[in-house]
Amino acid sequence: MGFDSAKFVTSVADDKKCLLCHGVLDNPVRSACGHVFCSGCILPWVVKHGQCPLKCRPLGPTDLENVLPLREVILNLKVKCEFFDRGCTHAVRLTDLIRHTQRCEFKPVTCVNPGCGQLVPKKDIYLHETVTCPCRPIGECDKGCGLALHLHTLADHDCYQALKVLVRTQEEQLKELKEKLALVSTKFSKKEKSLLEQVSALNRQLGEQTEQFNRTIKDVKNKQLAEADHEVSGKTVYVGWEHKCLCWLQMCVYTNGEFTWRRISLHRDKSGSLGFNIMGGYTVGHHFLSCFLLLQRTSTG
């Protein structure tokens, strides 16, 4: 919907007006046939009718393009303040109108004094509420209740009734606050429940992944052990001590493509050493085979 042409300080040419609403163009767009409309006017039209409002050709939403230079020209036109009828004489650019309206001294403000509710220009609201308002406060009751006295109810003031009204008002406010608190609590409880469910689901997923990972590690270890057992099958070396100074080894020796068993006896020297080193493995062809030692007896007696 376009802007009301009466708000503009000077008259606006017809080429800056929408051909549908006849107001000053708001976010102008041009059709494929060259006609200009407000985007908010023409889009619903083409969706519903599928043609130009002037019936010159079929139109769709993709047949419209923004006219940015024209939009910039219109936004820089001077307009009257929204509160012109209340006394504001400022003329501002259309692009600055909203900001001016929020700060305008002639903007009507509602009096906060109980029982008044009159709309007063922003620049006069303080004077009205404190000096001219017929419902303005004039002090506190000195008869026991201590409540604020207002000019329009001064003659009819009753401490008991005034306190009853005050209590009832506070109870209503408290009830309203409790309802709002309950609503907020329910909202956050649902949110908390949802988050807890998500955390629980993530924990379950993590547990399942951990179990799967452990199973994978176990399977890999078992496979490696099985492969190692297969490689050294029939090639275990047995070591044992028959007495204090004698050590015998029964070991499998690979010679000429065959494995044969050999028994070797070792005697300790004066230092207690057998003079024999066992290395970690040996090579068969192009393959390195690990050698395992099984200590049958470790006593020296």
Side-chain angles (χ1 to χ4, degrees):
M1 190 69 179
F3 301 103
D4 184 0
S5 59
K7 291 184 175 182
F8 290 80
V9 175
T10 59
S11 61
V12 180
D14 290 340
D15 62 350
K16 296 181 179 65
K17 294 182 180 179
C18 176
L19 295 175
L20 270 175
C21 69
H22 305 292
V24 178
L25 289 162
D26 181 12
N27 193 23
V29 294
R30 180 181 287 111
S31 66
C33 49
H35 299 125
V36 183
F37 308 90
C38 300
S39 61
C41 296
I42 190 61
L43 284 172
W45 175 277
V46 298
V47 170
K48 183 177 180 180
H49 300 284
Q51 64 176 352
C52 176
L54 302 183
K55 300 181 180 181
C56 57
R57 59 162 291 170
L59 279 183
T62 57
D63 298 320
L64 304 172
E65 62 176 356
N66 290 308
V67 190
L68 297 181
L70 180 57
R71 179 177 181 268
E72 190 68 22
V73 169
I74 293 173
L75 288 176
N76 281 287
L77 294 177
K78 291 292 186 71
V79 294
K80 302 173 186 176
C81 174
E82 183 178 342
F83 309 117
F84 174 79
D85 294 338
R86 291 181 172 271
C88 182
T89 58
H90 281 84
V92 297
R93 296 187 306 162
L94 178 60
T95 189
D96 299 326
L97 181 61
I98 294 178
R99 181 170 55 184
H100 168 77
T101 299
Q102 293 173 343
R103 299 183 302 179
C104 182
E105 291 294 316
F106 291 86
K107 178 181 179 180
V109 180
T110 303
C111 176
V112 299
N113 290 331
C116 181
Q118 184 177 344
L119 291 175
V120 181
K122 183 178 179 180
K123 64 183 183 65
D124 300 326
I125 189 63
Y126 177 77
L127 180 65
H128 169 82
E129 290 178 346
T130 58
V131 178
T132 63
C133 178
C135 303
R136 65 184 182 276
I138 57 173
E140 294 182 353
C141 178
D142 57 0
K143 296 180 179 179
C145 70
L147 297 178
L149 297 175
H150 295 84
L151 183 62
H152 69 300
T153 59
L154 179 60
D156 301 325
H157 177 73
D158 182 292
C159 291
Y160 175 72
Q161 293 298 328
L163 288 172
K164 284 182 62 177
V165 172
L166 177 63
V167 171
R168 184 167 61 249
T169 302
Q170 291 178 342
E171 288 177 345
E172 291 175 354
Q173 292 175 348
L174 180 60
K175 181 181 179 181
E176 183 179 355
L177 289 174
K178 286 182 177 180
E179 291 175 352
K180 290 182 179 179
L181 179 61
L183 182 62
V184 172
S185 298
T186 301
K187 181 178 178 180
F188 278 98
S189 295
K190 292 180 179 179
K191 185 72 173 179
E192 181 182 11
K193 183 179 179 181
S194 175
L195 291 175
L196 289 175
E197 290 175 352
Q198 294 180 29
V199 171
S200 179
L202 289 174
N203 284 333
R204 287 195 301 270
Q205 183 179 1
L206 179 61
E208 293 173 357
Q209 291 177 347
T210 301
E211 292 179 2
Q212 180 64 31
F213 182 70
N214 290 334
R215 285 196 296 268
T216 302
I217 292 178
K218 185 177 180 180
D219 292 342
V220 171
K221 286 184 177 179
N222 290 337
K223 184 177 180 181
Q224 291 176 343
L225 289 175
E227 292 175 351
D229 289 343
H230 177 72
E231 289 179 357
V232 301
S233 177
K235 300 183 281 297
T236 305
V237 179
Y238 297 92
V239 181
W241 281 265
E242 291 185 340
H243 53 77
K244 186 173 182 180
C245 296
L246 175 66
C247 175
W248 56 266
L249 293 88
Q250 184 173 339
M251 59 190 304
C252 186
V253 180
Y254 184 84
T255 306
N256 297 325
E258 296 182 353
F259 289 100
T260 57
W261 288 97
R262 298 289 186 271
R263 176 166 178 160
I264 301 174
S265 296
L266 301 175
H267 293 269
R268 297 182 184 275
D269 58 17
K270 293 182 180 181
S271 64
S273 172
L274 294 173
F276 187 85
N277 291 327
I278 301 175
M279 306 304 293
Y282 55 89
T283 303
V284 178
H286 296 290
H287 302 285
F288 180 80
L289 301 178
S290 298
C291 182
F292 292 86
L293 301 178
L294 175 62
L295 295 178
Q296 291 182 321
R297 188 171 61 194
T298 58
S299 62
T300 58

